Amino acid sequence: GAGVSQTPSNKVTEKGKYVELRCDPISGHTALYWYRQSLGQGPEFLIYFQGTGAADDSGLPNDRFFAVRPEGSVSTLKIQRTERGDSAVYLCASSTGDGLNTEAFFGQGTRLTVV
Amino acid sequence: GDSVTQMEGPVTLSEEAFLTINCTYTATGYPSLFWYVQYPGEGLQLLLKATKADDKGSNKGFEATYRKETTSFHLEKGSVQVSDSAVYFCALRSGATNKLIFGTGTLLAVQP
């Protein structure tokens, strides 16, 4: 596709349920990032993949959050036992590499609401 | 750790007014600096960037200069338009990690 695609665009789930959020990066982009944006805040880093491996997962808030990128393209962010505090917009970004000057392209995000 | 501080909004201006959105940063080493923009209903887009001290990034009439001595990267535009209404995010990326670190965002509303 032409840009980073995230599905679903909106997700409402009940507290305690499991959710998966999907990110399709731009074709050929080796670096993939997940961010979380709460209302009125800037995006907050969660995890970074270079290829298939998680190069930096220091932003994952706890062990209920997990992400995979098994073939180095599509990535899935998984949240177990969701809590109301997990409600936010989850953003995915991809780039051609991980250099300081490399532009990261963002998807439109998945708005997660935990009720 | 690395961080970005930007002025709180909302900033409300009339069309053709001069815009400044302040941004300062704290970082180890020599980060690259970015301004991202989020238009209503759209995803984050890179507006401009600067990679070393005294560099000036520019795009769509917006400018920002990387000031190492004041650790700042203020965004400016000489004459704003209604179409510039959006949320603007200052961000940095340092060599210590490849992640972008964002400020909290500044909402700009331009009135005709």
Side-chain angles (χ1 to χ4, degrees):
Chain A
V4 178
S5 174
Q6 292 187 247
T7 54
S9 55
N10 282 282
K11 175 71 177 178
V12 180
T13 191
E14 292 181 347
K15 180 176 176 297
K17 298 290 189 183
Y18 168 83
V19 296
E20 290 189 350
L21 311 180
R22 177 187 167 105
C23 173
D24 273 282
I26 294 172
S27 178
H29 281 193
T30 57
L32 185 146
Y33 306 80
W34 283 99
Y35 288 81
R36 178 169 69 174
Q37 187 175 13
S38 300
L39 193 62
Q41 300 297 314
E44 180 184 23
F45 171 78
L46 296 177
I47 187 170
Y48 153 56
F49 287 90
Q50 182 58 257
T52 60
D56 182 353
D57 64 357
S58 62
L60 294 177
N62 51 60
D63 61 6
R64 295 187 297 105
F65 288 75
F66 189 71
V68 295
R69 194 185 185 201
E71 297 178 359
S73 178
V74 171
S75 176
T76 305
L77 179 65
K78 309 180 181 195
I79 310 174
Q80 299 178 323
R81 304 183 303 280
T82 51
E83 299 178 356
R84 292 198 177 87
D86 299 335
S87 297
V89 176
Y90 289 81
L91 298 171
C92 177
S94 71
S95 63
T96 54
D98 57 9
L100 285 183
N101 308 329
T102 307
E103 180 177 352
F105 294 83
F106 283 80
Q108 294 202 356
T110 293
R111 182 176 299 278
L112 175 66
T113 304
V114 182
V115 298
Chain B
D2 296 353
S3 66
V4 174
T5 303
Q6 61 182 104
M7 64 188 286
E8 292 188 14
V11 174
T12 303
L13 296 173
S14 297
E15 211 165 19
E16 299 182 3
F18 183 85
L19 168 71
T20 299
I21 300 178
N22 289 338
C23 171
T24 58
Y25 67 91
T26 301
T28 53
Y30 303 96
S32 292
L33 302 174
F34 304 82
W35 276 100
Y36 277 81
V37 59
Q38 190 169 33
Y39 297 104
E42 298 185 17
L44 277 168
Q45 302 173 27
L46 178 65
L47 179 60
L48 53 85
K49 67 180 181 183
T51 59
K52 61 183 188 297
D54 299 326
D55 266 4
K56 178 185 283 188
S58 61
N59 186 26
K60 299 183 180 180
F62 291 89
E63 292 183 340
T65 301
Y66 189 141
R67 300 285 188 203
K68 191 169 184 294
E69 64 276 13
T70 55
T71 61
S72 65
F73 193 54
H74 305 320
L75 183 68
E76 297 183 335
K77 186 174 185 181
S79 176
V80 294
Q81 305 301 312
V82 172
S83 57
D84 294 326
S85 299
V87 182
Y88 293 81
F89 293 92
C90 186
L92 71 81
R93 188 184 231 166
S94 71
T97 173
N98 290 303
K99 61 192 179 194
L100 281 164
I101 296 172
F102 288 87
T104 54
T106 303
L107 173 63
L108 170 66
V110 180
Q111 299 176 337

